[in-house]
């Protein structure tokens, strides 16, 4: 394609210099011969330009096809990377939960033990009555009086 483009430019430059040669003082060309040659050159130039347009259209469609193929491959790759990231996140959460589970278990056990201790320290009405009786017995014994 580059070769055709280069040849087209070369032809244009050559034609422009040949036009000046026709108007030169030294060389005379008949009008009908000049017109015939120019017509042939014009037709050949348009044929090559048409070929270039066809090549450009073919390349354009080929590039579009490659773009679509690459786009679909990139989308597939993005999906795979996204799935890998999701898997890694789940794996990290699972490992974190496994590492934190013993600490959480100990904390819950200590909370349960504190509740049990608090329940054991609870004083009932019978305990209060016993304390009062013991206190009264001590006071009466100091006074020397027989209690009950």
């Amino acid at each position: 394609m580059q070769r055709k483009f280069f040849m087209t430019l070369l032809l244009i430059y050559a034609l422009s210099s040949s036009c000046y040669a026709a108007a030169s003082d030294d060389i005379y060309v008949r009008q009908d011969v000049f017109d015939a040659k120019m017509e042939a050159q014009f037709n050949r130039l348009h044929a090559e330009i048409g070929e270039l347009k066809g090549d450009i259209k073919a390349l354009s469609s080929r590039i579009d096809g490659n773009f679509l193929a690459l786009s679909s491959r990139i989308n597939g790759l993005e999906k795979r990377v996204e799935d890998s990231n999701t898997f890694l996140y789940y794996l990290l959460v699972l490992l974190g939960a496994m590492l934190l589970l013993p600490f959480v278990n100990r904390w819950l056990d200590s909370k349960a033990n504190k509740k049990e201790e608090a329940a054991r320290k609870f004083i009932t009405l019978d305990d209060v009555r016993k304390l009062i009786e013991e206190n009264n017995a001590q006071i009466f014994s100091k006074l020397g009086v027989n209690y009950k």
Side-chain angles (χ1 to χ4, degrees):
M1 182 171 135
Q2 291 175 349
R3 185 175 175 202
K4 288 181 180 181
F5 183 74
F6 178 73
M7 291 301 289
T8 305
L9 286 176
L10 187 63
L11 182 65
I12 290 172
Y13 287 123
L15 285 177
S16 64
S17 64
S18 68
C19 291
Y20 292 119
S24 172
D25 294 333
D26 297 337
I27 300 173
Y28 294 100
V29 178
R30 287 189 340 223
Q31 184 69 34
D32 60 339
V33 173
F34 177 77
D35 288 341
K37 283 191 174 192
M38 291 309 275
E39 182 81 24
Q41 293 283 352
F42 183 75
N43 289 337
R44 195 173 82 198
L45 180 64
H46 277 287
E48 287 181 6
I49 289 174
E51 288 177 15
L52 286 175
K53 284 183 181 178
D55 290 343
I56 289 172
K57 285 182 183 177
L59 285 174
S60 176
S61 64
R62 189 171 163 199
I63 288 171
D64 289 342
N66 287 340
F67 178 76
L68 290 175
L70 285 174
S71 177
S72 65
R73 289 179 69 185
I74 287 172
N75 288 339
L77 184 61
E78 285 177 353
K79 177 69 174 143
R80 286 177 32 204
V81 167
E82 184 179 317
D83 291 344
S84 298
N85 286 344
T86 304
F87 173 75
L88 286 176
Y89 293 148
Y90 287 149
L91 184 65
L92 286 174
V93 167
L94 182 64
L95 287 175
M98 290 174 68
L99 291 174
L100 288 177
L101 190 61
F103 298 111
V104 171
N105 193 16
R106 276 189 237 142
W107 181 72
L108 289 174
D109 285 344
S110 68
K111 294 277 268 184
N113 289 338
K114 287 180 183 177
K115 284 184 180 180
E116 287 175 8
E117 289 175 11
R120 278 188 235 145
K121 290 181 181 180
F122 186 73
I123 299 173
T124 63
L125 186 59
D126 291 334
D127 293 334
V128 172
R129 286 184 183 153
K130 286 180 187 176
L131 286 173
I132 292 173
E133 287 182 17
E134 288 175 8
N135 190 25
N136 288 340
Q138 284 179 358
I139 291 173
F140 285 120
S141 67
K142 285 182 183 177
L143 293 174
V145 177
N146 192 3
Y147 181 70
K148 282 194 180 184

